[in-house]
């Protein structure tokens, strides 16, 4: 903290920013308490924001700060309310961030039942779990709120279109009809492929466009959140992969038996 304050006062924070990458290592050495960790994480997040560094880096330390309130009582968690709102707005504003764990953090979850900030939490849920139509409905009813937080409607539409496209890729069994993309993204026929290219460029999905059949064939999509449902899906995919590999090895062993006459019980097994 002394080094940070010295760098701030001397306006030379660029010299200390590289050390932030080692913070987790430092914390293990220092063995400092939770309150000191909170102070450190929040200060670093503010330094990164003021220095115009990557928004992702500032958001990362802001999230670390909020995560330290896990398990605390409601009175203590309420101290982080303003920063929780800030984290939501920073995530929504960022056009290069599409995944976060804010919904799982108690300091953010408290906003859901807060009379002042419930709409902010609702906006976060839209950006992490819903599609463009839900955002448009929210914006129509809360345009003044959006402007008060400096949210640009056009930028939000761009982000929600990409999020909606990825959701289609996750839910449409690997093939998305062009017509469905057009309707979901509320765009024109000649813009469908443009949005697919944007999603590929942002590394949100891997896919091929079948212009003849007017479908997008999806091989991978990024999840916005990674909770129990996503873990179960991953478990299922790994079990399928394991079964495929075991089947392949069995086929190879069978061929060896035929060609070399080795005992069928010998060979590699999957564990």
């Amino acid at each position: 903290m002394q080094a940070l304050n010295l760098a701030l006062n001397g306006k030379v924070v660029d010299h200390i920013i590289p050390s932030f990458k080692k913070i987790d290592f430092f914390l293990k050495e220092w063995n400092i308490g939770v309150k000191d960790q909170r102070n450190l994480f929040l200060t670093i997040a503010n330094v990164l924001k003021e220095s115009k560094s990557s928004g992702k880096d500032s958001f990362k330390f802001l999230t670390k700060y909020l995560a330290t309130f896990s398990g605390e009582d409601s009175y203590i968690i309420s101290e982080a309310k303003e920063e929780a709102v800030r984290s939501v707005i920073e995530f929504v504003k960022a056009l290069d961030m599409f995944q976060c764990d804010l919904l799982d953090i108690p300091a953010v979850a408290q906003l859901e039942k807060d009379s002042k900030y419930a709409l902010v939490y609702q906006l976060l849920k839209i950006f992490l779990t819903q599609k463009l139509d839900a955002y448009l409905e929210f914006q129509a009813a809360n345009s003044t709120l959006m402007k008060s937080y400096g949210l640009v409607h056009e930028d939000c539409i761009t982000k929600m279109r990409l999020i909606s496209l990825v959701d289609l890729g996750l839910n449409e069994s690997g093939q998305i009809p062009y017509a469905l993309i057009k309707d979901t993204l509320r765009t024109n026929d000649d813009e469908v492929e443009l949005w697919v290219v944007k999603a590929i460029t942002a590394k949100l999905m891997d896919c091929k466009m079948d212009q003849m059949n007017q479908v997008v064939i999806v091989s991978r999509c990024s999840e916005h959140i990674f909770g129990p449902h996503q873990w179960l899906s991953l478990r299922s995919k790994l079990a399928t992969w394991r079964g495929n590999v075991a089947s392949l090895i069995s086929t190879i062993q069978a061929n060896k038996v035929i060609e070399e006459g080795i005992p069928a019980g010998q060979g590699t097994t999957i564990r």
Side-chain angles (χ1 to χ4, degrees):
M1 289 300 297
Q2 290 176 347
L4 278 173
N5 290 328
L6 180 63
L8 286 168
N9 293 332
K11 298 182 179 180
V12 289
V13 292
D14 289 344
H15 293 288
I16 201 170
I17 286 177
S19 66
F20 295 164
K21 296 179 180 179
K22 301 178 181 179
I23 284 297
D24 289 338
F25 172 75
F26 291 155
L27 289 177
K28 290 180 180 179
E29 283 195 335
W30 298 337
N31 193 30
I32 61 176
V34 173
K35 289 185 178 180
D36 287 331
Q37 287 185 41
R38 285 175 189 159
N39 192 21
L40 179 62
F41 289 148
L42 186 57
T43 302
I44 291 176
N46 292 335
V47 166
L48 289 169
K49 185 176 182 180
E50 291 298 324
S51 67
K52 309 300 181 184
S53 296
S54 167
K56 286 185 177 180
D57 291 335
S58 175
F59 181 79
K60 171 187 173 183
F61 281 99
L62 185 57
T63 302
K64 282 178 174 288
Y65 163 79
L66 294 171
T68 64
F69 288 89
S70 179
E72 300 282 11
D73 60 44
S74 59
Y75 175 77
I76 295 177
I77 289 179
S78 65
E79 296 177 7
K81 198 171 290 184
E82 296 295 331
E83 281 71 29
V85 172
R86 170 184 160 187
S87 70
V88 173
I89 300 304
E90 287 190 8
F91 173 74
V92 173
K93 279 185 177 180
L95 296 178
D96 60 346
M97 284 196 291
F98 297 89
Q99 189 277 336
C100 75
D101 299 320
L102 291 180
L103 290 177
D104 297 326
I105 298 177
V108 177
Q110 69 175 322
L111 302 178
E112 184 176 15
K113 298 180 180 179
D114 187 271
S115 58
K116 184 178 179 180
Y117 297 123
L119 287 174
V120 174
Y121 186 84
Q122 184 181 341
L123 182 63
L124 175 64
K125 289 194 72 173
I126 288 172
F127 272 78
L128 287 175
T129 65
Q130 299 183 52
K131 294 186 176 69
L132 178 63
D133 56 349
Y135 164 73
L136 293 174
E137 182 179 342
F138 178 91
Q139 193 277 336
N142 302 283
S143 58
T144 302
L145 176 75
M146 300 281 290
K147 290 178 181 178
S148 71
Y149 285 113
L151 296 169
V152 180
H153 180 49
E154 291 74 15
D155 290 344
C156 289
I157 286 179
T158 296
K159 185 166 182 171
M160 280 305 303
R161 277 177 170 159
L162 290 171
I163 289 172
S164 300
L165 179 55
V166 172
D167 281 345
L168 291 177
L170 291 168
N171 299 320
E172 293 300 321
S173 302
Q175 291 195 2
I176 320 172
Y178 277 29
L180 181 58
I181 295 175
K182 173 194 169 186
D183 293 341
T184 303
L185 273 57
R186 299 197 182 190
T187 188
N188 299 323
D189 288 325
D190 58 356
E191 293 180 312
V192 168
E193 293 186 355
L194 172 65
W195 284 103
V196 174
V197 171
K198 285 184 178 181
I200 295 172
T201 302
K203 298 181 180 180
L204 295 175
M205 62 194 308
D206 294 330
C207 60
K208 296 180 180 179
M209 290 177 279
D210 185 342
Q211 295 177 323
M212 183 71 69
N213 295 307
Q214 294 284 284
V215 295
V216 174
I217 303 172
V218 180
S219 56
R220 179 197 65 84
C221 282
S222 297
E223 299 277 2
H224 309 314
I225 54 178
F226 211 90
H229 174 74
Q230 287 73 28
W231 280 113
L232 287 173
S233 177
L234 179 60
R235 179 183 180 182
S236 176
K237 290 177 181 178
L238 288 173
T240 300
W241 173 84
R242 183 177 182 274
N244 290 340
V245 173
S247 177
L248 176 62
I249 290 178
S250 295
T251 301
I252 293 173
Q253 290 176 341
N255 288 336
K256 281 186 176 182
V257 170
I258 295 173
E259 295 177 5
E260 302 175 9
I262 63 174
Q266 294 180 5
T268 308
T269 59
I270 298 294
R271 297 180 179 177

